């Protein structure tokens, strides 16, 4: 994860934190459907940002920890 991905994840967490807190408050207040919904949205935002393909690689790059090989150029 490079610096731009980290900054993007920080921005997503800053957006998702109030939504998650609202969901926790609704759960504590007895509104379970709304609380669970807001918590699901907050978790979805953070998970979507964390597991999306980055600008510098692909999902396979993150899962396997390696960069796919570049195709060789033809020298004709």
């Amino acid at each position: 994860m490079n610096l731009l991905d980290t900054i993007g994840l920080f921005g997503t967490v800053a957006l998702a934190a109030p939504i998650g807190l609202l969901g926790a408050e609704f759960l504590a207040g007895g509104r379970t459907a709304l609380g669970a919904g807001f918590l699901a949205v907050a978790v979805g935002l953070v998970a979507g940002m964390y597991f999306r393909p980055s600008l510098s690689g692909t999902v396979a790059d993150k899962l396997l920890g390696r960069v796919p090989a570049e195709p060789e150029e033809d020298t004709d």
Side-chain angles (χ1 to χ4, degrees):
M1 184 178 281
N2 62 18
L3 181 63
L4 292 177
D5 291 336
T6 304
I7 291 171
L9 184 61
F10 176 74
T12 303
V13 169
L15 177 69
I19 297 171
L21 288 174
L22 181 63
E25 185 176 335
F26 278 174
L27 279 176
R31 298 179 178 177
T32 55
L34 280 174
F38 281 124
L39 284 176
V41 167
V43 168
L45 281 171
V46 174
M49 181 64 184
Y50 185 75
F51 290 114
R52 71 165 174 77
S54 70
L55 297 175
S56 61
T58 62
V59 175
D61 175 69
K62 286 186 178 184
L63 293 177
L64 299 176
R66 62 178 186 236
V67 177
E70 294 287 328
E72 294 183 18
E73 295 181 17
D74 291 334
T75 55
D76 289 329

